Amino acid sequence: DVKVTQSSRYLVKRTGEKVFLECVQDMDHENMFWYRQDPGLGLRLIYFSYDVKMKEKGDIPEGYSVSREKKERFSLILESASTNQTSMYLCASSTNTDTQYFGPGTRLTVL
Amino acid sequence: QKEVEQNSGPLSVPEGAIASLNCTYSDRVSQSFFWYRQYSGKSPELIMSIYSNGDKEDGRFTAQLNKASQYVSLLIRDSQPSDSATYLCAVRNYGQNFVFGPGTRLSVLP
């Protein structure tokens, strides 16, 4: 079974803090993705990576950065958290030809 | 702008009925099509994938694809209250990205 894990299920941070969200997949997938999901707005792509050290901006990259130093790990970084970044963050991975598999999600609250 | 559209619902069906969920997409070169189920507060989980025109059946679920009409649907037979969830349609073309629809909320009434 494909397994995608995320470092935290729930996270509470303060405005201005630097926040790291970690995602690990165990299926040797080439592609990894970070989404955020908000009520009424659906899934929105923040960043994706199709190879180690490669990254591409998605639809809403502002305020975020990513790191992919190893194939199995994709990190999302909020350089200076703001209240409008309170959301559910979902990591996913895929091969070049198959579907995406999602992690359990991290519900981030920024106070 | 590549788009995937779904009726947001809620779609309510009685237990035991057939639930029909629809999805249209704008990018004609789309190659792969997926249905995900998402329970409240949980992450999406894959139900079905379909790549060629026609029907694909898996248990109580049937996915239907019509590339000429740019239309993909999901039928759920013998609907159960546990099927109550939001169903996301996703489309992938030759690139790496997936485009998701906004989801249809399904409510199966006992």
Side-chain angles (χ1 to χ4, degrees), chain B:
Chain B
Q1 178 80 7
K2 299 169 187 173
E3 291 185 348
V4 176
E5 297 184 351
Q6 299 178 254
N7 188 326
S8 62
L11 173 66
S12 295
V13 299
E15 184 174 355
I18 296 175
S20 178
L21 305 164
N22 303 317
C23 171
T24 58
Y25 59 94
S26 62
D27 189 352
R28 286 193 168 273
V29 300
S30 298
Q31 294 296 309
S32 308
F33 306 86
F34 308 94
W35 282 100
Y36 289 83
R37 177 177 62 201
Q38 186 175 23
Y39 293 113
S40 180
K42 303 293 186 182
S43 62
E45 56 178 327
L46 179 71
I47 299 175
M48 296 279 289
S49 57
I50 187 166
Y51 304 98
S52 55
N53 281 328
D55 295 0
K56 179 181 178 182
E57 187 175 318
D58 184 1
R60 296 187 296 113
F61 299 97
T62 299
Q64 299 174 317
L65 174 61
N66 184 327
K67 289 188 177 181
S69 300
Q70 294 175 239
Y71 174 92
V72 57
S73 66
L74 179 70
L75 300 178
I76 306 174
R77 289 181 300 283
D78 188 25
S79 295
Q80 302 296 309
S82 58
D83 294 326
S84 298
T86 296
Y87 289 80
L88 302 172
C89 173
V91 172
R92 189 180 197 186
N93 59 21
Y94 287 114
Q96 311 299 342
N97 274 355
F98 295 73
V99 181
F100 283 84
T104 297
R105 191 155 55 93
L106 173 67
S107 179
V108 180
L109 307 174

Side-chain angles (χ1 to χ4, degrees), chain A residues 7-89:
Chain A
S7 50
S8 306
R9 292 300 305 274
Y10 300 94
L11 205 55
V12 180
K13 295 292 182 182
R14 297 213 172 266
T15 300
E17 282 193 78
K18 191 169 186 175
V19 182
F20 293 88
L21 302 182
E22 302 282 338
C23 176
V24 178
Q25 51 94 5
D26 66 356
M27 289 303 293
D28 200 35
H29 284 172
E30 295 87 355
N31 308 311
M32 297 188 74
F33 307 79
W34 275 107
Y35 296 89
R36 63 177 284 178
Q37 189 174 35
D38 302 285
L41 295 178
L43 278 167
R44 293 184 290 169
L45 181 64
I46 304 171
Y47 268 97
F48 69 99
S49 168
Y50 53 88
D51 202 353
V52 176
K53 297 191 185 296
M54 305 302 290
K55 60 185 179 183
E56 295 286 341
K57 293 180 179 179
D59 300 320
I60 51 163
E62 296 79 17
Y64 303 93
S65 62
V66 291
S67 173
R68 193 168 182 201
E69 296 296 319
K70 293 184 178 181
K71 190 174 186 179
E72 68 270 18
R73 188 179 297 269
F74 193 35
S75 302
L76 180 69
I77 303 151
L78 287 66
E79 295 289 342
S80 178
S82 62
T83 55
N84 62 13
Q85 292 178 310
T86 292
S87 186
M88 169 73 94
Y89 289 88

